[in-house]
Amino acid sequence: MERLKEKFVQHAEKIKEDFLTLKKDYSEVNLGDYNIGQVMGGMRGMTGLLYETSALDPDEGIRFRGYSITELRQLIPKVPGGTEPMPEGTFYLMLMDALPTEEEAWMVTESWRSRAEIPQHVFDTLDSLPISTHPMTQFSIGVMAMQNDSVFAKAYRDGAKKSDYWVYMYEDVMTLIGRLPRLAAYIYRRTYKNNEHIAPDPKLDWAGNFAHMLGYEQDEFKKLMRLYMTIHADHEGGNVSAHTTRLVGSALSDAYLSFAASMNGLAGPLHGLANQEVIRWILDLQKEIGVSLPSKEQIEAYIHKTLDEGRVVPGYGHAVLRKTDPRFTAQHDFAMKYMPNDDLVQIVGLLYEVVPRVLNETGKVKNPWPNVDAHSGALLVHFGMVEYDFYTVLFGVSRSLGVLASLILDRYLSLPLERPKSVTMKHLLEKYAVKN
Ligand code: CMX
């Protein structure tokens, strides 16, 4: 058995005990009440999912197995000469609930590297799509095109035992994550770089190799990719991409089916697509005002115009967070270190000074502060990655780490089919409305 897999079993046996204790002795304990407003309002604030790899505090932001982004940047191993955490280490932490040593982080790299080759038919499938196909659509189709390699689907068909499902899920997850950078880089180079592809460099770490295959060799871009892949990796279980992975996986759909479904959710503008929308919105702002660095007053007028048109200000607001997203702060920190004078970075900074007040003045926005998507585009443009329609694919590659680590755990714990109950408005009105 792969050493990584053995380590996972050691950890998973312990959490299985907790799982069984909770199920056996505490199943009847109430977690809270909810109301019709929550049922009608996207289930905000309703606790209804078990999710181990990360937890989100509305004020503090995300913690991966208890560690904040700041702590990850200090404690997760780095490549030699590196300054940012290896995403492999973050994956290890999420899967095993333990900080990895350097050797353990590289063990993950090695496992993914050994599985990274993509069958030719996947590239042929992508090549058959019109070049105008959105990169996220290509990404989802590329993942689906790999589904016939699923060892989980095959094992299920061959009558595998329920207690062994996780073994096959583990294989699929590790293979899929190993392949994603190559798939994403292929989409990027096919769509924007004249179909000129770059072979992987087996000496590099997962994120460094991703940067290399995308065609960005600057050391700082590789650093950015390591940070980017770490901070977007997980955001507890209720967001659209994590929840979709869980939901679809609960039907015993394999990792390819579950992950492709989650990416279709990430591709929505209220979720991951917001990262491309932010930069599109800023570029439109520059164009409309006619200067590369607008004043605060000009920015404020543009925000009002956006709101008056009935649009949202992309990159601001959140369904759970109530303070500035620490993922925004980590990116701002990176920007201040490497590109403080960049015009787009400065606009991001000016927006931070203006948008929260304007959103607060609407009286309806619950969180006026920036989320992760408010900053990422400015960093990417700085390095020359101007093709913003591609940005959500980067988010997707990173998001695989958390949602797929969780999917292995789901099958280890044999979580059941998700099947919440729905209710009609007629029923609610008949039962609860006061009749005159
Ligand atoms: N600009 C303008 N209006 C906003 C807003 C924003 N950035 N954020 C919230 N609002 C509005 C909502 O549209 C809603 O208006 P209506 O009552 O007219 O429908 C009202 O404020 C209340 O919304 P909320 O409770 O504060 O926020 P939600 O939990 O409903 O939605 C989110 C959260 C992220 C969808 C929303 O803040 C938004 O649309 N933000 C912009 C898009 C964005 O950046 N998405 C990325 C989120 C992070 C990620 O998943 O990647």
Side-chain angles (χ1 to χ4, degrees), residues 392-407:
T392 312
V393 176
L394 296 176
F395 193 156
V397 174
S398 168
R399 186 47 59 97
S400 71
L401 304 180
V403 302
L404 293 177
S406 292
L407 196 58

Side-chain angles (χ1 to χ4, degrees), residues 105-379:
W106 283 101
M107 223 187 258
V108 177
T109 314
E110 199 37 62
S111 176
W112 290 346
R113 190 185 284 153
S114 68
R115 302 157 183 267
E117 206 172 312
I118 294 183
Q120 184 56 41
H121 78 265
V122 176
F123 299 132
D124 294 343
T125 304
L126 292 173
D127 288 342
S128 73
L129 297 171
I131 208 76
S132 59
T133 309
H134 191 280
M136 276 305 277
T137 309
Q138 297 190 47
F139 191 53
S140 173
I141 290 172
V143 172
M144 285 300 293
M146 294 194 270
Q147 192 271 339
N148 67 338
D149 282 350
S150 169
V151 294
F152 180 93
K154 182 173 180 317
Y156 186 85
R157 208 183 158 108
D158 293 346
K161 288 205 303 284
K162 193 172 182 179
S163 57
D164 287 344
Y165 288 169
W166 77 267
V167 179
Y168 307 109
M169 188 55 90
Y170 175 96
E171 292 303 324
D172 278 353
V173 163
M174 296 302 273
T175 302
L176 179 51
I177 299 178
R179 288 176 174 183
L180 286 179
R182 178 94 171 95
L183 177 69
Y186 190 89
I187 292 166
Y188 180 69
R189 308 275 322 167
R190 135 171 225 267
T191 310
Y192 304 112
K193 301 290 172 186
N194 211 21
N195 230 350
E196 287 161 8
H197 298 286
I198 300 171
D201 180 346
K203 291 187 299 305
L204 288 170
D205 58 299
W206 185 75
N209 188 36
F210 187 21
H212 159 75
M213 290 187 290
L214 287 166
Y216 294 84
E217 294 299 351
Q218 306 100 306
D219 196 39
E220 286 167 8
F221 187 84
K222 292 196 171 96
K223 286 178 178 159
L224 175 63
M225 272 304 101
R226 292 182 193 111
L227 177 65
Y228 190 113
M229 292 294 128
T230 295
I231 63 176
H232 289 78
D234 211 24
H235 217 224
E236 77 162 35
N239 66 76
V240 171
S241 48
H243 188 189
T244 304
T245 310
R246 155 69 57 77
L247 173 68
V248 177
S250 84
L252 296 186
S253 303
D254 60 57
Y256 299 90
L257 296 168
S258 306
F259 184 64
S262 89
M263 289 300 100
N264 295 340
L266 192 75
L270 296 188
H271 191 17
L273 203 80
N275 64 3
Q276 76 164 52
E277 293 305 288
V278 166
I279 216 68
R280 207 158 66 88
W281 185 80
I282 294 179
L283 294 176
D284 283 351
L285 177 156
Q286 284 177 317
K287 201 162 143 202
E288 183 156 322
I289 297 170
V291 290
S292 58
L293 190 56
S295 68
K296 273 197 212 175
E297 292 68 32
Q298 287 170 318
I299 286 178
E300 180 160 348
Y302 194 76
I303 299 165
H304 280 296
K305 178 169 174 280
T306 300
L307 295 175
D308 291 346
E309 287 167 358
R311 296 156 63 200
V312 296
V313 178
Y316 278 76
H318 201 272
V320 177
L321 281 170
R322 292 296 175 258
K323 293 270 165 64
T324 296
D325 191 334
R327 302 172 298 175
F328 173 88
T329 313
Q331 294 178 86
H332 193 60
D333 180 50
F334 188 94
M336 288 304 104
K337 193 163 166 190
Y338 295 109
M339 58 204 75
N341 300 321
D342 183 289
D343 278 349
L344 283 183
V345 166
Q346 292 201 29
I347 293 178
V348 168
L350 290 173
L351 286 167
Y352 189 30
E353 290 177 37
V354 179
V355 176
R357 180 174 48 76
V358 178
L359 288 185
N360 262 334
E361 283 165 9
T362 66
K364 65 173 185 179
V365 180
K366 294 198 189 62
N367 173 37
W369 301 105
N371 59 56
V372 66
D373 300 316
H375 215 310
S376 49
L379 301 176

Side-chain angles (χ1 to χ4, degrees), residues 421-435:
K421 187 86 184 73
S422 67
V423 69
T424 63
M425 283 198 279
K426 187 166 184 282
H427 170 83
L428 289 176
L429 287 169
E430 277 172 7
K431 187 150 186 210
Y432 300 106
V434 180
K435 295 190 185 77

